[in-house]
Amino acid sequence: FMAGIGSPVPQDMADIPHPVIGYVGALQSLRLDIPLLEYLAAQQPEWQFVFVGPEDDQFRASTLHQFPNVHFTGSKNISELPAYINAFDVCINPQLINEVTIGNYPRKIDEYLAMGKPVIATKTEAMALFNEHTYQATTREDYLTMIAQAIQEDAPALQEARKAFAATHTWENSVEAIYQAIQAVQ
């Protein structure tokens, strides 16, 4: 994803004004909070919300499609995803908290941070790893406040810190950490 920094804006986003709040991934009602997204779009009509990924039936039927500030791009090839993230001003991970998501490792947070983007995500245990580099919301009002704060605060130094942090989350580093943990208990 880091190679996508500086990618040109995808053609289907070229006419979308800023700020752009974006999500990349499968749009599944089992995992994502549709009422939260509807609330955000209604409360902040000047923010543009872009969702990149395939939609399940509940997303396709949601009122999100009725908002002029909500845009769905559909599925994209994985090689195209960095260009979309690069075009976002803020990235979100509006997870529901349930049996399916509670233990998830939020890999997309690494992808967002690798591109230096400010991230607002639902606070979960797994998100504790990202405390210093993300905004973590527990309420829909938190999302509103934190997105506004992220837009206002974003700066090159924060972007570089996010990228550096994400660069430590390689498979090699993960395997080494597992190995060290095993060694510590033997």
Side-chain angles (χ1 to χ4, degrees):
F1 278 79
M2 291 174 129
I5 296 170
S7 298
V9 173
Q11 191 165 358
D12 56 354
M13 286 190 63
D15 295 330
I16 298 174
H18 290 267
V20 174
I21 316 308
Y23 174 85
V24 169
L27 300 165
Q28 300 173 335
S29 56
L30 182 62
R31 295 179 173 275
L32 300 177
D33 191 339
I34 293 173
L36 167 63
L37 296 171
E38 292 167 336
Y39 171 80
L40 294 173
Q43 293 297 307
Q44 293 295 335
E46 70 280 1
W47 294 350
Q48 303 300 308
F49 293 87
V50 175
F51 300 101
V52 180
E55 298 176 74
D56 69 10
D57 291 340
Q58 288 81 6
F59 260 90
R60 280 191 293 277
S62 74
T63 61
L64 286 166
H65 288 273
Q66 297 169 16
F67 288 95
N69 62 328
V70 176
H71 313 271
F72 292 89
T73 69
S75 295
K76 299 295 177 185
N77 185 297
I78 194 164
S79 65
E80 297 175 273
L81 299 181
Y84 283 89
I85 295 170
N86 193 56
F88 299 161
D89 296 299
V90 173
C91 296
I92 58 173
N93 192 26
Q95 283 194 140
L96 289 170
I97 298 183
N98 59 33
E99 308 79 39
V100 173
T101 63
I102 194 67
N104 274 5
Y105 178 84
R107 186 72 183 158
K108 76 176 60 286
I109 304 302
D110 283 324
E111 295 164 357
Y112 294 160
L113 293 174
M115 297 194 68
K117 296 298 176 176
V119 176
I120 293 84
T122 303
K123 186 174 184 155
T124 64
E125 272 189 54
M127 282 299 297
L129 176 64
F130 302 95
N131 281 347
E132 290 182 42
H133 301 282
T134 62
Y135 302 83
Q136 297 180 31
T138 56
T139 68
R140 62 189 196 169
E141 292 80 12
D142 287 347
Y143 264 92
L144 278 177
T145 302
M146 290 174 177
I147 291 170
Q149 184 179 356
I151 292 167
Q152 184 178 30
E153 289 178 348
D154 196 28
L158 290 172
Q159 294 167 11
E160 292 306 315
R162 294 178 198 123
K163 291 176 200 174
F165 175 73
T168 67
H169 289 188
T170 64
W171 285 112
E172 294 82 9
N173 288 348
S174 296
V175 169
E176 178 63 24
I178 292 168
Y179 178 74
Q180 293 299 325
I182 291 169
Q183 292 296 95
V185 296
Q186 289 185 345

